[in-house]
């Protein structure tokens, strides 16, 4: 049995400082505070131990992506994020021609069969051109149940989340069909009013794709999708806490309004994450990264909308903590809540006995120093 001791262990019930974790193969056997009776195998004094991060919105990283390129590059993308602490992730696709999305969904379903990813997130094609962000409006479609069923079939049971603009014709039927199929419906890339969004929630939508980004700004007489998504308790909200997409006040307000069990940190990372400034791709769109900020490269050659992030989920964890969120709430938003959203809360998402030994050892500044997945070190301390 492997015993890790001496660090600050972030559990659902608080920080054990110092605390210890005893591992049994791929699982956490026991967690406690103080000094263990047995001799620790690994001394983690001065370090933080957080549950492995779970990123449900990620397109790429380390120069490769899920959105284009061969299957080996998709594997590299997953490996890049695992090495930075994301022990569980969905692969997020962006708007593309329907046949291409079917092909990629089938390819990524193979990675899910192999356990490299926990499934797929479709960010498109049923989105609003009015808030397209970095998505290609030429391939956006009105919500269509038959098209959804083709995509769902291609993903062979691995489609977990779909982002929909609820104001589009046919959206309510699509939300109902996806919910019946067990797929989480997220509201996003939308120009919906608050009332339209409430109707979408009544139809089964339970999640917000990067709250505030890709939706009309809230106004006190028309709070928009953001207002409705914050208001309804059954809705979980993603935030991209990278210091670029949201002001820290917006992060804190979302955290306070949703509470620790309803906020979800996501990276929305693109291929440029972990890479130098330069030119990249996101689906059919060209992306230029300058100063670590990814923007769509317009046909004119000018930078346009923000095109995903260059952050890992670990970067957003560090930023959320520096923005003032309590460490335990950040661990909930980065691990426990997304685990519950994916139906994996009986298997991972917290440093609790019986769950998978998925953990991230961070230094004093919350920089990842070691990553363990299912009891195996991916990077050693
Ligand atoms: Zn995205």
């Amino acid at each position: 049995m492997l015993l890790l001791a001496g660090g600050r262990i972030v559990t659902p019930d608080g920080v054990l400082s110092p605390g210890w974790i005893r591992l049994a193969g791929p699982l956490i056997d026991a967690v406690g505070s103080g000094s263990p009776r047995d001799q620790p195998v690994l001394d983690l004094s001065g370090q933080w131990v957080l549950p492995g991060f779970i990123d449900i919105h990620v397109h790429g990283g380390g120069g490769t992506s899920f959105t284009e390129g061969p299957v080996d590059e998709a594997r590299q993308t997953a490996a890049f994020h695992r090495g930075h602490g994301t022990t569980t992730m969905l692969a997020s696709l962006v708007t593309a021609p329907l046949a291409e999305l079917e092909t990629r969904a089938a390819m990524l379903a193979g990675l899910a069969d192999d356990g490299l990813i926990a499934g797929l997130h479709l960010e498109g094609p049923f989105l609003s051109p009015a808030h397209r962000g970095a998505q290609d409006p030429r391939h956006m479609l009105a919500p269509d149940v038959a098209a959804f069923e083709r995509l769902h079939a291609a993903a062979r049971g691995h489609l977990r989340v779909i982002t929909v603009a609820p104001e589009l014709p046919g959206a309510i039927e699509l939300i109902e069909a996806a919910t019946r199929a067990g797929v989480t419906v997220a509201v996003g890339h939308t120009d919906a009013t608050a009332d339209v969004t409430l109707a979408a929630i009544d139809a089964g939508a339970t999640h917000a794709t990067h709250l505030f980004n890709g939706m009309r700004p809230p106004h006190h007489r028309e709070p928009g999708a953001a207002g409705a998504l914050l208001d309804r308790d059954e809705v979980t909200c993603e935030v991209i806490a990278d210091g670029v997409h949201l002001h820290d006040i917006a992060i804190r307000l979302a955290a306070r309004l949703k509470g620790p069990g309803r906020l979800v940190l996501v990276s929305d990372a693109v291929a440029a994450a972990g890479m130098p400034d330069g030119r990249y791709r996101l689906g059919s769109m060209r992306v230029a990264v300058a100063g670590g900020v990814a923007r769509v490269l317009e046909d004119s050659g000018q930078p346009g909308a923000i095109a995903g992030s260059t952050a890992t989920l670990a970067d957003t964890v560090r930023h959320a903590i520096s923005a003032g969120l309590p460490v335990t709430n950040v661990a909930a938003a980065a691990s426990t809540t997304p685990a519950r959203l994916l139906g994996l809360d009986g298997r991972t998402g917290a440093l609790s006995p019986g769950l998978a030994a998925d953990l991230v050892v961070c230094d004093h500044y919350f920089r990842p120093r070691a990553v363990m997945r299912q009891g195996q070190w991916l990077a050693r301390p």
Side-chain angles (χ1 to χ4, degrees):
M1 287 211 184
L2 182 57
L3 189 62
L4 315 178
R8 295 182 178 134
I9 315 284
V10 182
T11 78
D13 303 320
V15 178
L16 310 176
S17 180
W20 52 268
I21 304 179
R22 193 171 64 214
L23 308 175
L27 300 178
I28 297 170
D29 181 56
V31 179
S33 61
S35 300
R37 261 178 259 151
D38 305 328
Q39 193 66 23
V41 173
L42 194 60
D43 182 7
L44 296 177
S45 298
Q47 316 228 52
W48 290 89
V49 185
L50 289 99
F53 306 135
I54 299 181
D55 195 351
I56 64 169
H57 188 157
V58 51
H59 304 284
T64 56
S65 72
F66 298 123
T67 55
E68 64 271 330
V71 69
D72 276 352
E73 293 192 6
R75 288 178 197 277
Q76 285 174 42
T77 304
F80 168 81
H81 283 287
R82 274 200 305 276
H84 288 79
T86 302
T87 48
T88 303
M89 75 197 81
L90 295 185
S92 297
L93 293 176
V94 290
T95 299
L98 193 59
E100 196 181 312
L101 284 176
E102 279 183 273
T103 304
R104 293 208 74 81
M107 183 189 95
L108 293 167
L111 264 60
D113 288 337
D114 294 344
L116 293 178
I117 58 173
L120 276 83
H121 161 219
L122 276 176
E123 192 179 19
F126 311 118
L127 307 178
S128 164
H131 289 276
R132 63 182 175 271
Q135 304 241 356
D136 192 338
R138 293 172 302 169
H139 304 306
M140 288 181 182
L141 299 176
D144 174 21
V145 172
F148 165 78
E149 282 169 353
R150 280 173 57 184
L151 294 166
H152 185 245
R156 301 200 309 273
H158 294 299
L159 177 58
R160 312 304 296 274
V161 180
I162 184 166
T163 304
V164 177
E167 74 276 21
L168 300 177
I172 295 297
E173 291 79 2
L174 185 98
I175 292 168
E176 289 171 348
T179 303
R180 271 198 307 274
V183 177
T184 295
V185 176
V187 173
H189 288 284
T190 171
D191 196 37
T193 61
D195 285 346
V196 165
T197 306
L198 292 175
I201 296 166
D202 289 339
T206 55
H207 188 64
T209 292
H210 43 53
L211 186 78
F212 297 127
N213 297 115
M215 50 187 77
R216 61 169 77 183
H219 181 276
H220 51 286
R221 279 187 290 276
E222 175 43 81
L229 294 161
L230 284 166
D231 187 46
R232 288 284 288 264
D233 284 343
E234 66 266 57
V235 176
T236 45
C237 289
E238 294 176 4
V239 289
I240 310 172
D242 64 346
V244 173
H245 283 76
L246 296 173
H247 194 284
D248 285 356
I249 289 177
I251 297 169
R252 286 194 292 270
L253 286 175
R256 211 173 289 155
L257 287 166
K258 294 305 331 184
R262 294 284 185 274
L263 190 76
V264 176
L265 295 190
V266 295
S267 70
D268 199 8
V270 295
M275 299 293 285
D277 285 359
R279 299 282 174 90
Y280 298 89
R281 282 184 61 195
L282 177 61
S284 56
M285 307 297 270
R286 293 181 303 157
V287 171
V289 179
V293 179
R295 289 187 179 275
V296 172
L297 196 59
E298 304 286 2
D299 290 339
S300 64
Q302 295 299 309
I306 298 177
S309 87
T310 59
T312 61
L313 202 62
D315 293 329
T316 72
V317 163
R318 197 161 55 249
H319 187 89
I321 292 168
S322 75
L325 271 57
V327 174
T328 47
N329 292 6
V330 172
S335 304
T336 317
T337 303
R340 193 184 71 229
L341 191 147
L342 295 175
L344 297 175
D345 44 333
R347 288 160 57 184
T348 186
L351 298 179
S352 299
L355 299 186
D358 295 343
L359 56 87
V360 188
V361 179
C362 294
D363 68 12
H364 181 68
Y365 301 101
F366 293 97
R367 291 176 299 210
R369 288 292 178 239
V371 182
M372 176 181 279
R373 184 172 187 252
Q374 295 173 3
Q376 302 283 327
W377 290 112
L378 303 176
R380 287 219 53 146

